[in-house]
Every structure is written in structure tokens, then in C-alpha cells.
Amino acid sequence: DAGITQSPRHKVTETGTPVTLRCHQTENHRYMYWYRQDPGHGLRLIHYSYGVKDTDKGEVSDGYSVSRSKTEDFLLTLESATSSQTSVYFCAITRDLNQPQHFGDGTRLSIL
Amino acid sequence: AQSVTQLDSQVPVFEEAPVELRCNYSSSVSVYLFWYVQYPNQGLQLLLKYLSGSTLVKGINGFEAEFNKSQTSFHLRKPSVHISDTAEYFCAVTPNNAGNMLTFGGGTRLMVKP
């Protein structure tokens, strides 16, 4: 497996609280991505990063922000969590733009 | 923009039978295509990819897929499935000229029965 660690693996929190998910990689890959997985939708891109301090929005970015201050870490923040953000979140990395992405094991987030 | 349609949400099949999981895509530009597999409570694992060249691509675990540009399809096949192939399978595309931002289909749950 590619060296990708997502933390926490599971989290339950309440509506309105801030939540930060971490993706840590040991591959020194330049490109990192955050997706959410919901039944019937496959995975949808939230945000992505082309390098340190270089991030951009994906298809479903509303309510989410990201930061990448180091190559190895890509943080996803829900500033004020809502029940619609209950989902499984996956981080992915790739070395080059024409290579497949490799995925972490996911974080299951429940917002009550 | 791209879109991906996986035509079957669930495919039940008996062990040792052949299986085809269907994937159609829409794109105004040329694309790279991928199939991923997800076992329960795990991340996605790459099965195979089409970047260029031969339209028949072989992947891990005996799977193969054929890229058909005229029909904008990338169907996944296996001649004889095992119980261990029970999982969810995702087809994904990305434009070959920018970004490597994957668009996924909704997934097909393959259920292999003894």
C-alpha cells in the first residue's frame, strides 16, 4: 500500500462543531486530493492540492476548507459541521498527473 | 465536464461464472480511464487503467477491460469469478490534458454466490 494515513479513522460529533481530518503521506508525492463517498454517488472531489500552499476547489467544496503547509500533510476542515456532511472521506495521492491515484483507508464521519 | 454511468448498481453472480460490469462515460476531451475495487471498510485499490495504446487492458486478480471510444465505454470483465471478488467496483475518468481530477461512477456491487 502507498504510505497514506488518515486520521482519525472514525469520528462522531455534533452539528455546528469544527472538525479537521488529516491525511499524511510518506511518498513525497506532489498531488493530494480529498473526496467524500456517499451511497449511489461514488466518490466526489472536495478539494485538491498541487503542492505546498497550492490548493483549489473540487466539485463539492461548499462548507469545506483545506490547508497544505507541508508536502506530507493535507488537512480538510469543516468549519461548522452539518448533518449533510456525514460521509466517508478519502484522501488520495499521486506522483504525476498521468498516473493513477492511490487512496487511504478513509475516515468515517458522523454528524449528529 | 465529464460524467460516468455505471449501468448496474448490483450484479449477483454465481462462483466460477463470467461477469461484466458496465461503464459508460461522457466527455468532450480525451480521457484516461480507471477501474477501482473497494472491499468492505477499506479504501479503493486500482484494478487497471487505460492511458493510451492497446484498447484491451489487463489488471490484477484476472480482470480486464476494453476501451471502446466510439461507444464511450470501458466495461470490466472476468471470465470466472471467486467468492473473494465480492466487493464494490468503481469506474473513473479524468481528462488527459489537465488536473488528474477523477470523476467516478456510482459504483457496482458485485455479489458472488457459492
Side-chain angles (χ1 to χ4, degrees), chain B residues 7-61:
Chain B
L7 295 159
D8 306 294
S9 60
Q10 295 186 72
V11 173
V13 63
F14 286 105
E15 193 173 19
E16 298 184 7
V19 70
E20 178 180 82
L21 307 183
R22 297 180 293 169
C23 172
N24 286 91
Y25 70 93
S26 173
S27 177
S28 58
V29 299
S30 295
V31 296
Y32 297 144
L33 299 119
F34 307 88
W35 274 99
Y36 285 88
V37 59
Q38 184 180 34
Y39 300 103
N41 299 314
Q42 295 186 24
L44 278 69
Q45 178 182 354
L46 181 70
L47 270 180
L48 48 80
K49 62 187 178 187
Y50 174 78
L51 303 182
S52 64
S54 172
T55 57
L56 182 64
V57 293
K58 295 188 182 299
I60 62 171
N61 301 341

Side-chain angles (χ1 to χ4, degrees), chain A residues 33 37 42 48 50 97 99 101 104, chain B residues 36 38 43 90 99-101 105:
Chain A
Y33 307 81
Q37 182 179 26
Y48 58 97
Y50 285 178
L97 292 178
Q99 293 299 315
Q101 295 178 20
Chain B
Y36 285 88
Q38 184 180 34
F90 292 95
N100 197 345
M101 288 179 284

